[in-house]
Amino acid sequence: MESTTANLAALAAAYEAARQERDRLKEELDRAEAAFRDAESDLATHMAASEITSVTHQGTTYSLRHEVYVSPKGGMADALCAWLRQHGAGDLVKETVHPSTLRAYVKEVMEAGELSDELEALVHVYEALKIARREKR
């Protein structure tokens, strides 16, 4: 029993060290991503203001591109889909289920009993044991 307790304590310590390292790296990545976005914005802004479409530095060419990002306005997805269908772009409309919504539904079905053969043939279910962590206050 004592060796099991010691082993679990060592595993918990390793888990905690790995969690802290992961969190540190996430913060570092967030800072690096922000620095990258700022540097890209500065370079693009200066290139556009100077009317320069590409620049080469140390053998690498950086080209200015104009990108367009589009998403439906809040609550307008259904209206957008209807508009696209009415204007000959209905093939752009895809019926989907968000993964977290599907996960919640399947989990609910599994807790109520078993997956039907029909549903089981349509989804891949992966179950894993995870650790919940709560610090003393």
Side-chain angles (χ1 to χ4, degrees):
M1 178 75 169
E2 196 170 305
S3 66
T4 300
T5 301
N7 188 36
L8 289 175
L11 291 170
Y15 171 85
E16 184 62 22
R19 186 195 64 78
Q20 288 176 2
E21 177 68 0
R22 180 207 58 196
D23 291 351
R24 184 190 68 75
L25 290 171
K26 279 183 179 180
E27 288 174 9
E28 189 175 327
L29 179 60
D30 288 345
R31 286 190 298 276
E33 291 284 354
F36 173 77
R37 282 189 305 273
D38 291 346
E40 181 179 43
S41 178
D42 289 347
L43 179 59
T45 299
H46 284 83
M47 288 175 69
S50 302
E51 297 181 359
I52 296 172
T53 58
S54 67
V55 63
T56 300
H57 175 69
Q58 296 182 343
T60 301
T61 300
Y62 303 91
S63 300
L64 188 61
R65 296 182 314 167
H66 178 253
E67 297 287 337
V68 176
Y69 299 93
V70 179
S71 62
K73 291 181 178 178
M76 299 305 291
D78 290 341
L80 173 62
C81 291
W83 187 93
L84 289 169
R85 286 185 186 104
Q86 291 169 0
H87 291 85
D91 58 325
L92 297 177
V93 178
K94 307 288 185 237
E95 187 173 349
T96 64
V97 178
H98 193 278
S100 61
T101 304
L102 180 60
R103 176 181 150 195
Y105 173 76
V106 170
K107 185 176 178 184
E108 183 180 306
V109 168
M110 290 172 66
E111 288 172 354
E114 289 187 22
L115 290 179
S116 68
D117 291 341
E118 296 156 317
L119 180 56
E120 195 166 358
L122 299 172
V123 297
H124 174 74
V125 178
Y126 171 77
E127 296 183 60
L129 295 174
K130 299 300 243 174
I131 298 295
R133 180 181 173 276
R134 183 181 59 217
E135 290 185 23
K136 290 184 185 177
R137 294 194 186 255

